[in-house]
Amino acid sequence: MGEELKVIVFALANEHYGIEVDKVRTIERMMPITRVPKTPAFIKGVINLRGVVIPVIDLRGRFGLEQTEATENSRIIIVASNDLEVGFIVDSANDVIDIDSDAIDTPPEVVGGIRAKYLRGVAKLDEQRLLIMLNLVEVLNKDEIIQLEQLEE
């Protein structure tokens, strides 16, 4: 039996994803986002969260999924990776669950239209449900991090 991982479950285009709780700072309701010129379309802009300016990425756009308008359930998940705080816009953030790390398999080449490099793995929750685990390092890869750091300056 592997170690237990606490994971925040969120939805994006009818798929369920997970991010380890220790990488998540906070989950916020949608708020005004200030657009920043000359950034990729999936970088929606920045928010001011309790005095801290945080870049916001639309995960649908990042993964090349169909864009939709924010709804009442939309959330911004604030994650931390390599001293960088970033907000991810997701369709909804549902709950926190425990997953046995042994239940996480290597991802196939493409899951739900998303290339495997963005995925850490796929966890089988039960017979019906799979949870796609994000690889934050790749979602926030070096070239984009450089752009995001320039936003914060």
Side-chain angles (χ1 to χ4, degrees):
M1 184 124 166
E3 61 180 308
E4 286 278 304
L5 293 175
K6 275 215 178 305
V7 173
I8 292 196
V9 178
F10 65 91
L12 208 58
N14 300 323
E15 298 281 352
H16 288 92
Y17 297 83
I19 299 179
E20 292 94 331
V21 165
D22 63 357
K23 305 253 191 318
V24 175
R25 291 273 190 265
T26 172
I27 298 175
E28 302 290 332
R29 291 185 174 276
M30 289 303 288
M31 59 184 72
I33 298 172
T34 305
R35 189 84 183 107
V36 178
K38 298 187 181 145
T39 55
F42 66 82
I43 297 177
K44 287 297 171 201
V46 294
I47 56 172
N48 181 341
L49 187 63
R50 297 182 269 289
V52 179
V53 174
I54 298 175
V56 176
I57 291 176
D58 183 343
L59 274 189
R60 279 178 171 260
R62 179 72 178 102
F63 295 154
L65 300 171
E66 180 190 350
Q67 300 283 298
T68 58
E69 288 296 312
T71 68
E72 179 115 337
N73 294 325
S74 298
R75 295 289 181 268
I76 300 174
I77 300 178
I78 309 296
V79 300
S81 176
N82 305 326
D83 298 330
L84 179 71
E85 285 194 343
V86 177
F88 289 147
I89 298 175
V90 300
D91 295 350
S92 64
N94 306 37
D95 48 3
V96 177
I97 60 172
D98 291 316
I99 296 178
D100 185 328
S101 61
D102 289 346
I104 300 174
D105 293 333
T106 332
E109 277 306 298
V110 173
V111 179
I114 297 169
R115 295 201 316 277
K117 77 171 193 170
Y118 298 130
L119 309 177
R120 176 175 156 201
V122 177
K124 292 186 193 77
L125 299 184
D126 53 42
E127 294 303 312
Q128 303 295 312
R129 291 183 17 196
L130 293 176
L131 185 69
I132 303 165
M133 299 294 297
L134 285 190
N135 176 347
L136 278 188
V137 175
E138 275 304 325
V139 173
L140 300 170
N141 84 22
K142 289 273 186 291
D143 299 337
E144 280 120 31
I145 287 176
I146 291 164
Q147 288 178 325
L148 292 173
E149 284 170 346
Q150 289 167 346
L151 290 184
E152 291 182 329
E153 290 168 1

